Amino acid sequence: MNDDRKKAEDSEALPALPKYLSEALDLKLISQGAEALVYFSKAHPYLPATLSSDVIHNSPISPAGYILKFRPPKPYRHALLDAQLTKHRTLSEVRSLYKMMLAGVHVPMFVAVDPRQGLIWMENIDGPSLKKWIWGQEEEIEKKVSDEDSRLTMREQTVKPTLVAVGHEISKLHFMDMVHGDLTTSNLVLRRKDDGSLEPVIIDFGLSQQSTLPEDKAVDLYVLERAFISTHPMHAEEYITWLLEGYLAGFGQGKKTAKFKAREIMKKLEAVRLRGRKRSMVG
């Protein structure tokens, strides 16, 4: 089977987008998961493309394009139940996203939603995932220096500031009693600011929920720790240390109850780690 035929068959196998989108916009499928399909588009969902640069600069138009997240119908569920679940989950994700935007957490800018169709439009973050960026830094450092002490120094100069910033961003999320639910190095994207520094952006709030429980936030951190161990096993320990350094320094930003909450989360994190180790030993 040639590649063109395979692509055509794969495209036909995908759940159909609403016609008002698929016929009007040039959409490119970039990710397919169990719950949703993710598309990229250069077009804004309702604003015309022919606007002046001044208008674009002061409006929700993203020069990096847009992400369209689509929750397709599930044929194995009753149609009425499926419609209710799709609407509920779509609105829940949008509320989480919007709440974090208002709180100053770096998340994609929300643009539009069609809950009945399971559609969310949001800003596309133009930058690499944390996972890909760290891989790139590690490769570059290995090429430049040969001894491990020098490599550690370079990682402290390049990787550490970014991981401290990532930890700080996650602390803002948790202090607002929001749990991400799928906090991995792929769901953290680095956007370059005007001054050249990297700004971490948290994406994909499909599994997010409100929770005041320290254990839920500890599980969030543990999932991220496991992602580091899986994708960056050689330096995972130091990466996790730097991330938690930023997390603890940024948690609550000096508010009275912040230190107590942070200590409780760290205690629960130790307990979650212990459970994880026991599970690994038992198999």
Side-chain angles (χ1 to χ4, degrees), residues 170-186:
I170 296 168
S171 75
K172 288 157 62 177
L173 186 79
H174 285 176
F175 189 74
M176 292 293 296
D177 288 332
M178 180 67 68
V179 174
H180 185 275
D182 189 22
L183 203 54
T184 67
T185 49
S186 295

Side-chain angles (χ1 to χ4, degrees), residues 156-208:
E156 287 179 336
Q157 293 171 348
T158 57
V159 179
K160 182 178 179 178
T162 299
L163 289 180
V164 168
V166 168
H168 185 275
E169 206 61 33
I170 296 168
S171 75
K172 288 157 62 177
L173 186 79
H174 285 176
F175 189 74
M176 292 293 296
D177 288 332
M178 180 67 68
V179 174
H180 185 275
D182 189 22
L183 203 54
T184 67
T185 49
S186 295
N187 284 334
L188 291 157
V189 179
L190 301 176
R191 173 170 55 194
R192 194 165 294 280
K193 298 166 67 177
D194 292 339
D195 63 3
S197 63
L198 294 171
E199 176 181 77
V201 181
I202 307 173
I203 66 169
D204 194 356
F205 283 78
L207 296 176
S208 63

Side-chain angles (χ1 to χ4, degrees), residues 5 21 36 46 74 93 119 123 146 183 191 212 223 262 274:
R5 183 180 171 189
L21 286 175
Y46 54 83
K74 304 295 184 188
E93 182 172 356
L119 293 163
E123 167 194 17
S146 57
L183 203 54
R191 173 170 55 194
T212 59
V223 169
L274 183 60

